[in-house]
Amino acid sequence: KQLPRWWELRDPCAWTGQGRGTPRMSPATTGTFLLTGEISNDPITFNTNLMGYPDRPGWLRYIQRTPYSDGVLYGSPTAENVGKPTVIEITAYNRRTFETARHNLIINIMSAEDFPLPYQAEFFIKNMNVEEMLASEVLGDFLGAVKNVWQPERLNAINITSALDRGGRVPLPINDMKEGVYVMVGADVPFSSCLREVENPQNQLRCSQEMEPVITCDKKFRTQFYIDWCKISLVDKTKQVSTYQEVIRGEGILPDGGEYKPPSDSLKSRDYYTDFLITLAVPSAVALVLFLILAYIMCCRREGVEKRNMQTPDIQLVHHSAIQKSTKELRDMSKNREIAWPLSTLPVFHPVTGEIMPPLHAENYESTNMPLMQTQQNLPHQTQIPQQQTTGKWYP
């Protein structure tokens, strides 16, 4: 399918070193494809996956910061992928026009035995992000600086990894801080004396004290690349002893344990009646006994309690009956009592004639001996309380 005009697929880095844009890789090299939408300057996002699978292969990575920036597809294959064509589906999505386009990228991975690179050095560059390092001109400048220091006949970038993939922290958005990137390069000649300076005791001591080591060739990188020399790694594969042990595979057949003998068809019959009694009858009998005991307690013993209640009335009922009797007596007594009017309630004027009544003098009444409730008549120690007359004047 032909790509639309609003995006294109470019290959800024040579995958094998034999030709720019050759879609062939080897396990000893790293490769990059650039997915860009610079033709129309539209916001474009890309989705990459292995054909028939939801994600990319484990050795292939993809990064795109914003929809307006380029997408970078990069990685370094392993020896297990040699001879297997890798088909990557690239889907582009235009955020402005909502157009989509798909392109299949076929990568052929060849063996690296024809290009051995036994001497490998990994550098940590602090002032670069991974997508900046993958640009062809930047990576070319770095390989040129390494070549001036190392002086090899062949030099290739083996692997490029972001510091975030190695457990690094996301930098603060101040002073244009970068994430950092690890770049591993391989050569066919031993390491130079300048690279070996990192291994001397003085520089190792300075690294343990978090101080920068003294490297004579650092000035060749300092103009563009800030290298953390304490994190440099030098690997000499010519001195590594192979610890690989050949796995002896068996025939996949278990040891002979004799023939399988299935159970006989004429099995002896077994009587399960006893098991049934033990399992069901015994718990049922215990439950029945408990039910009878509970029924006896709840029903049979209730008659004696009722008889006892009939013979001896409840204390609360007796108390209630006593209260009722006392209340009735008090009501009967209140109907028969004769209470004189208090002096404060006697009228000043006669209710019929309107004449002024003579004042009542306290000496005519013994108020101290006046009872509140008159229960007996004509007691000798009591004073008769005057009663109100219907006509005429009031008399003491």
Side-chain angles (χ1 to χ4, degrees):
K1 181 178 179 179
Q2 187 177 1
L3 299 179
R5 293 183 56 83
W6 45 267
W7 81 286
E8 64 177 352
L9 177 65
R10 295 190 296 173
D11 49 342
C13 294
W15 289 77
T16 62
Q18 297 178 351
R20 182 179 178 83
T22 305
R24 289 183 296 177
M25 297 183 64
S26 65
T29 58
T30 183
T32 307
F33 270 95
L34 186 65
L35 312 179
T36 180
E38 295 180 355
I39 297 179
S40 60
N41 292 327
D42 290 341
I44 300 174
T45 56
F46 301 92
N47 183 25
T48 59
N49 63 281
L50 184 64
M51 178 174 286
Y53 294 90
D55 202 356
R56 298 176 300 276
W59 58 270
L60 193 60
R61 294 185 177 91
Y62 171 73
I63 185 172
Q64 184 182 15
R65 299 290 179 177
T66 64
Y68 291 93
S69 61
D70 297 335
V72 182
L73 189 66
Y74 67 99
S76 180
T78 60
E80 299 176 355
N81 306 112
V82 175
K84 300 177 182 179
T86 303
V87 182
I88 304 298
E89 291 182 346
I90 303 175
T91 304
Y93 176 69
N94 192 322
R95 293 300 184 91
R96 186 181 65 86
T97 62
F98 303 103
E99 296 181 73
T100 58
R102 179 171 293 177
H103 178 74
N104 293 336
L105 175 64
I106 302 176
I107 303 173
N108 295 317
I109 302 173
M110 62 183 185
S111 177
E113 297 178 355
D114 299 335
F115 307 97
L117 300 174
Y119 302 96
Q120 299 176 1
E122 187 177 52
F123 299 86
F124 177 63
I125 304 174
K126 297 184 291 184
N127 64 327
M128 288 283 178
N129 289 333
V130 61
E131 69 273 11
E132 298 173 350
M133 193 65 197
L134 288 171
S136 57
E137 60 276 3
V138 178
L139 183 58
D141 294 342
F142 179 75
L143 293 178
V146 175
K147 192 172 184 179
N148 292 334
V149 175
W150 202 338
Q151 298 296 328
E153 294 182 2
R154 289 193 308 104
L155 182 69
N156 285 335
I158 297 177
N159 192 14
I160 299 177
T161 308
S162 173
L164 301 182
D165 297 333
R166 297 285 188 91
R169 295 184 177 180
V170 178
L172 296 175
I174 56 176
N175 300 330
D176 196 21
M177 298 182 65
K178 305 294 183 178
E179 298 173 356
V181 59
Y182 288 90
V183 181
M184 177 176 287
V185 297
D188 54 350
V189 297
F191 304 108
S192 63
S193 59
C194 176
L195 298 179
R196 291 289 187 182
E197 291 179 1
V198 183
E199 299 178 349
N200 61 54
Q202 293 80 8
N203 287 330
Q204 292 294 325
L205 179 61
R206 294 177 67 89
C207 288
S208 63
Q209 297 175 353
E210 298 184 357
M211 300 175 60
E212 293 186 1
V214 179
I215 306 298
T216 56
C217 58
D218 181 56
K219 58 183 179 180
K220 296 183 179 181
F221 298 91
R222 183 66 63 174
T223 57
Q224 189 177 0
F225 307 99
Y226 294 106
I227 298 178
D228 189 350
W229 292 99
C230 291
K231 293 184 179 180
I232 189 173
S233 175
L234 305 178
V235 179
D236 186 358
K237 290 190 174 183
T238 59
K239 297 181 180 180
Q240 292 181 353
V241 179
S242 178
T243 58
Y244 175 76
Q245 297 181 357
E246 184 179 359
V247 179
I248 302 176
R249 302 182 181 275
E251 299 178 355
I253 302 175
L254 296 176
D256 187 10
E259 295 182 358
Y260 173 71
K261 296 180 179 180
S264 176
D265 296 337
S266 57
L267 295 177
K268 183 179 179 181
S269 61
R270 181 179 177 182
D271 187 10
Y272 292 96
Y273 183 73
T274 305
D275 298 339
F276 171 76
L277 292 179
I278 296 175
T279 306
L280 297 179
V282 174
S284 300
V286 174
L288 180 60
V289 171
L290 295 177
F291 176 76
L292 294 176
I293 295 174
L294 181 62
Y296 173 75
I297 295 174
M298 297 296 294
C299 301
C300 298
R301 294 182 60 84
R302 190 175 182 85
E303 181 179 359
V305 175
E306 291 178 353
K307 290 181 179 180
R308 186 164 56 252
N309 291 338
M310 293 176 62
Q311 296 174 1
T312 58
D314 192 6
I315 298 177
Q316 293 182 355
L317 296 177
V318 174
H319 183 63
H320 180 69
S321 178
I323 292 175
Q324 285 184 341
K325 290 180 180 180
S326 301
T327 304
K328 186 177 180 181
E329 291 178 1
L330 290 175
R331 288 178 178 177
D332 295 340
M333 293 173 63
S334 64
K335 292 179 181 179
N336 300 327
R337 67 183 178 181
E338 294 180 359
I339 302 175
W341 289 13
L343 298 177
S344 60
T345 60
L346 295 178
V348 179
F349 299 93
H350 194 275
V352 178
T353 62
E355 297 178 358
I356 299 176
M357 298 174 57
L360 298 176
H361 299 283
E363 59 269 11
N364 297 332
Y365 302 95
E366 295 181 1
S367 58
T368 56
N369 297 328
M370 186 179 297
L372 295 177
M373 180 182 295
Q374 186 175 359
T375 57
Q376 297 180 0
Q377 300 291 335
N378 301 324
L379 294 178
H381 62 275
Q382 290 182 346
T383 304
Q384 183 69 25
I385 300 176
Q387 302 293 330
Q388 185 177 4
Q389 303 295 329
T390 58
T391 58
K393 296 181 181 180
W394 291 86
Y395 297 95

